[in-house]
Amino acid sequence: HLGVSRTVVRDVLARLQERGLVRKSPSSHWIAGPLTARTVSEKFQLREIMEPAALRLAGPHLRYAEVEALLERIGTDPEITPQYLGDALLEHCIAQAPNAALVEIIRSNRLLLSSVDRALILLGLPRDEDTIEQYQTLLELITHHPIDSACEYLRYHLSITARRYLARMKIVAVIDETGSFAPYLSPQ
């Protein structure tokens, strides 16, 4: 259907499986989903544990000029979305932690949430202004260098974001699935 060889398809599916986005059933069928509230809650619980710890480790290695430049763009650049700010926080701050394994686990854990976030936006959900304000507060704490305060605020922000995220998912849960699958997929 996609005009690629089976080898390419197997390679892509194996990579998606490594990242936890698909899995194999006992009968060796590839399965994506279902995405449940429990799955999302567990992903956010992991984020609440790992991301503040990584930010604390990254403290001495932060490039504050980049964080300040990002902070200045909030409110003036229409491209600034919660997802953009989350990705920027990861790259400019959390990924500066000297523990590469921790950073890779954080990136992997965020993949599913980022994919769902993109889908929610494509379905027409409005931009989440409250989350943007929370990122602004977090970045301000980081630029003032009280890294412990920033870590605690990040944990708080992630707990609020998890609840907001689940509420946004409930909004789209009522969308009719009829005809929404590609011809090579079968819902189960």
Side-chain angles (χ1 to χ4, degrees):
H1 182 82
L2 298 174
V4 296
S5 71
R6 289 179 186 211
T7 304
V8 170
V9 172
R10 283 188 195 108
D11 182 51
V12 169
L13 286 169
R15 290 179 190 198
L16 291 172
Q17 184 180 26
E18 286 174 10
R19 290 167 174 82
L21 297 175
V22 298
R23 68 184 193 289
K24 275 193 148 185
S25 71
S27 59
S28 289
H29 290 100
W30 289 100
I31 300 171
L35 180 64
T36 64
R38 181 178 178 172
T39 303
V40 170
S41 294
E42 288 173 353
K43 294 283 185 186
F44 272 102
Q45 286 172 355
L46 285 171
R47 287 186 69 186
E48 287 178 43
I49 294 166
M50 294 185 300
E51 291 183 25
L55 181 58
R56 187 169 280 112
L57 289 173
H61 309 282
L62 293 177
R63 297 181 292 229
Y64 290 100
E66 291 176 4
V67 177
E68 289 171 1
L70 178 62
L71 192 53
E72 289 175 15
R73 290 180 53 205
I74 296 175
T76 60
D77 187 344
E79 296 295 316
I80 299 291
T81 63
Q83 183 167 353
Y84 178 86
L85 289 170
D87 292 345
L89 177 70
L90 175 63
E91 294 309 314
H92 296 303
C93 299
I94 293 169
Q96 303 310 308
N99 186 328
L102 177 60
V103 172
E104 185 55 36
I105 291 169
I106 290 169
R107 279 194 172 109
S108 180
N109 184 58
R110 292 182 57 170
L111 280 175
L112 178 66
L113 297 173
S114 295
S115 299
V116 172
D117 208 32
R118 284 186 188 97
L120 292 174
I121 291 167
L122 290 173
L123 288 171
L125 266 63
R127 192 168 105 148
D128 187 353
E129 297 296 332
D130 291 338
T131 299
I132 292 174
E133 287 178 25
Q134 286 181 356
Y135 274 119
Q136 184 173 9
T137 301
L138 176 60
L139 293 169
E140 287 170 352
L141 283 170
I142 291 170
T143 59
H144 291 99
H145 309 286
I147 202 67
D148 289 335
S149 298
C151 292
E152 286 306 312
Y153 188 82
L154 176 57
R155 185 174 286 111
Y156 163 78
H157 160 73
L158 289 170
S159 70
I160 297 295
T161 302
R163 288 193 294 271
R164 225 182 256 133
Y165 201 93
L166 289 169
R168 289 170 64 86
M169 284 179 54
K170 286 179 185 177
I171 292 170
V172 298
V174 296
I175 294 175
D176 182 27
E177 292 181 6
T178 309
S180 62
F181 290 96
Y184 53 88
L185 295 176
S186 63
Q188 292 190 10

